[in-house]
Amino acid sequence: ILRGSEARPHLKPYMASLQLDGQHVCGGFLIAPQWVLSAAHCIEETDGKLFQVLLGAHSLTEPEPHKRLYQVRAQFPHPGSNIHNNKDDLLLLQLEEKAELNSDVRVLPFQREDRDVAADTVCEVAGWGTTDHSGSRPDRLQQVERPVISRDVCNHRTRHDGTITHEMMCTDSRRKDTCKGDSGGPLVCGGVAEGVVTAGSRVCGNYKKPAIYTRIAPYAAWIDGVMASADG
Ligand SMILES: CC(C)CC(=O)Nc1cccc(-c2cccc(CN)c2)c1
């Protein structure tokens, strides 16, 4: 998160850190006791290894009362996701067991009505992604508020030039923005997860390249189907 601020500890109890060998790679969030939603492009550099999922954390390193690292039973990237574009950039992770829910570990509801969030709506996004252009990585969860911009503005020739589909949404990226390592985290508007951070142009803090999110509502049926089939 560029030019944000430290989140109030444990006030975003749905936040997950997807880790490999103890290193934060991407964000994610708890959508059900045994399921975390993130971004498919996060598995691009894992060469087949499974993530571990840290829940109940504010600091990535300090001991905290309800902090716990969960093993992942299975990872389900959306079948339409690919490395060439941002389409269908969603990843479902089934935890080895149901997470123990408490004051620091909680499920976040996601939007199921497929209707665009109005432009200028101020939403918030959090993550342990890089906080400056030299790639500094924070120990504690950061957050930032960002206004939604319309698909038409985001698709302007000088911005994302028509690549933003109905299944994506954008927020203004002038100065304050998401960045490397924030992928997979939720864009929360009015207490509901409306989008999942995607890397997009992999540029941060440049107003010409607004932040892109995968809208969740269009994928509600896919999410429910995977959870139902895997839970048995
Ligand atoms: C395996 C993955 C972690 C590789 C990756 O994602 N790299 C990378 C590099 C630079 C910027 C970003 C990035 C992320 C989230 C939002 C944005 C745009 N604001 C950029 C992402």
Side-chain angles (χ1 to χ4, degrees), residues 25-26 41-42 45 177-180 183 197-199 202-204 211:
V25 172
C26 273
H41 81 257
C42 293
E45 298 167 12
D177 194 12
T178 50
C179 203
K180 183 173 170 68
S183 298
V197 177
T198 188
R202 300 199 175 189
V203 162
C204 312

Side-chain angles (χ1 to χ4, degrees), residues 61-126:
T61 57
E62 305 292 318
E64 294 170 338
H66 296 122
K67 201 169 150 178
R68 194 171 144 191
L69 196 63
Y70 286 85
Q71 303 310 312
V72 167
R73 177 176 300 171
Q75 296 179 159
F76 302 82
H78 190 284
S81 60
N82 62 80
I83 57 168
H84 306 293
N85 59 42
N86 299 305
K87 285 201 175 77
D88 304 331
D89 190 14
L90 292 179
L91 173 69
L92 272 167
L93 301 108
Q94 182 182 29
L95 303 179
E96 195 50 82
E97 61 181 296
K98 282 190 168 66
E100 187 186 324
L101 304 181
N102 53 55
S103 55
D104 296 346
V105 180
R106 192 110 54 75
V107 165
L108 175 67
F110 60 82
Q111 182 59 258
R112 290 176 170 277
E113 273 182 54
D114 189 351
R115 195 187 358 255
D116 280 333
V117 177
D120 298 332
T121 303
V122 175
C123 302
E124 67 175 17
V125 58

